[in-house]
C-alpha cells in the first residue's frame, strides 16, 4: 500500500490524476467519472452569483432564484463529495494505530473500517428515509414536495433530501464492495 503523502507528491509533480482505488470496483469508477458533473456545480454556482451581482448592482433588478439555486448546487456537490472520497479512499481516518501495524493487520482493519462505515451509512440512509417521507408525501399520501417557503419557492429541500438518501445508499453499497475486495485481497 502506498503512503498517502507519496501519492499526493507524485500527483503534484506529474499532474497525473488519481482514479478511484481498485478495491472500489466498477461502482468506484462510475463515481469517479460522474464526479466531474458535481464539480461543475461549483462553477455554475459561481456563474450564477456573478450574474446576480450584475443584475442587482448594475441593472438594479435582482433575481429571486440565484441564492437558493447556488445553495442547492453547492449542497449536492458537497454530498456527492462524500461518495467520491470513499471511492478514492480519501475519507478521514485516524491513522494512529493503522500506521503502526503490518500489512496483514492493515488489511483486517480495512475490512473492519469498511464494515463499520457500511453500517453507519445504512443507519444514516434510514434516518434520511424518515426525512424524505415527511418532505415528499403529505399525511394523506399524496406527493407534495417540501418547498423553501421563499418568494420563488422551489422544491429544493425535498430534492436535496432525496439526493442525500440516494447518495447514502450508494455509499453503503460502496463500503460493502470495499469490505469484500479488501477481504479477498491477497496477503503480502
Amino acid at each position: 500500500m502506498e503512503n498517502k503523502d507519496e501519492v499526493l507528491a507524485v500527483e503534484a509533480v506529474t499532474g497525473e490524476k488519481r482514479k478511484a482505488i481498485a478495491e472500489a470496483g466498477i461502482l468506484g469508477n462510475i463515481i469517479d467519472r460522474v464526479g466531474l458533473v458535481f464539480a461543475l456545480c461549483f462553477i455554475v454556482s459561481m456563474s450564477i452569483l456573478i450574474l446576480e451581482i450584475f443584475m442587482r448592482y448594475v441593472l438594479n433588478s435582482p433575481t429571486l432564484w440565484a441564492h437558493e439555486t447556488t445553495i442547492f448546487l453547492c449542497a449536492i456537490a458537497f454530498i456527492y463529495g462524500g461518495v467520491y472520497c470513499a471511492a478514492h479512499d480519501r475519507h478521514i481516518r485516524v491513522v494512529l494505530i493503522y500506521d503502526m501495524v503490518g500489512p496483514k493487520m492493515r488489511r483486517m482493519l480495512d475490512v473492519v473500517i469498511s464494515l463499520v462505515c457500511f453500517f453507519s451509512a445504512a443507519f444514516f440512509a434510514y434516518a434520511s428515509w424518515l426525512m424524505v417521507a415527511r418532505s415528499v408525501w403529505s399525511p394523506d399520501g399524496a406527493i407534495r414536495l417540501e418547498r423553501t417557503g421563499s418568494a420563488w419557492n422551489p422544491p429544493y429541500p425535498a430534492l436535496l433530501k432525496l439526493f442525500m438518501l440516494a447518495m447514502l445508499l450508494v455509499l453503503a453499497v460502496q463500503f460493502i464492495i470495499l469490505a469484500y475486495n479488501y477481504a479477498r485481497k491477497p496477503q503480502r
Side-chain angles (χ1 to χ4, degrees):
M1 176 180 268
E2 297 174 291
N3 181 327
K4 299 283 186 199
D5 293 330
E6 291 171 7
V7 170
L8 293 174
V10 169
E11 288 177 16
V13 172
T14 64
E16 176 184 324
K17 182 192 177 294
R18 255 335 243 255
K19 297 290 183 191
I21 59 172
E23 291 84 357
I26 295 170
L27 180 60
N29 291 329
I30 293 168
I31 290 168
D32 180 63
R33 288 189 193 112
V34 174
L36 181 61
V37 172
F38 291 97
L40 291 174
C41 286
F42 292 113
I43 294 172
V44 171
S45 294
M46 180 206 55
S47 301
I48 290 170
L49 288 176
I50 290 171
L51 174 68
E52 172 64 14
I53 291 167
F54 178 77
M55 296 292 291
R56 178 178 298 258
Y57 295 108
V58 176
L59 301 180
N60 199 26
S61 179
T63 64
L64 290 175
W65 55 271
H67 296 290
E68 290 173 325
T69 302
T70 57
I71 290 168
F72 176 74
L73 290 172
C74 289
I76 63 171
F78 277 114
I79 290 169
Y80 192 82
V83 177
Y84 188 85
C85 286
H88 283 253
D89 194 30
R90 299 293 172 104
H91 54 89
I92 297 172
R93 79 171 67 165
V94 179
V95 294
L96 183 65
I97 297 169
Y98 190 82
D99 286 347
M100 294 179 2
V101 299
K104 287 182 181 180
M105 189 62 176
R106 279 188 185 182
R107 183 174 149 249
M108 188 178 302
L109 284 173
D110 284 334
V111 172
V112 170
I113 290 167
S114 296
L115 289 173
V116 168
C117 290
F118 161 74
F119 287 114
S120 297
F123 173 78
F124 286 118
Y126 172 73
S128 180
W129 167 251
L130 297 176
M131 289 191 313
V132 165
R134 287 191 306 268
S135 69
V136 173
W137 290 282
S138 64
D140 66 355
I143 293 179
R144 174 207 38 86
L145 298 179
E146 179 183 2
R147 298 181 167 275
T148 61
S150 67
W152 186 39
N153 205 23
Y156 288 157
L159 297 177
L160 192 57
K161 290 172 186 177
L162 281 165
F163 185 73
M164 184 181 299
L165 172 61
M167 290 301 100
L168 284 166
L169 292 172
V170 169
L171 188 62
V173 170
Q174 180 66 84
F175 279 122
I176 283 292
I177 292 169
L178 286 169
Y180 175 77
N181 286 333
Y182 284 135
R184 63 185 274 268
K185 191 176 183 179
Q187 292 187 12
R188 294 181 204 159

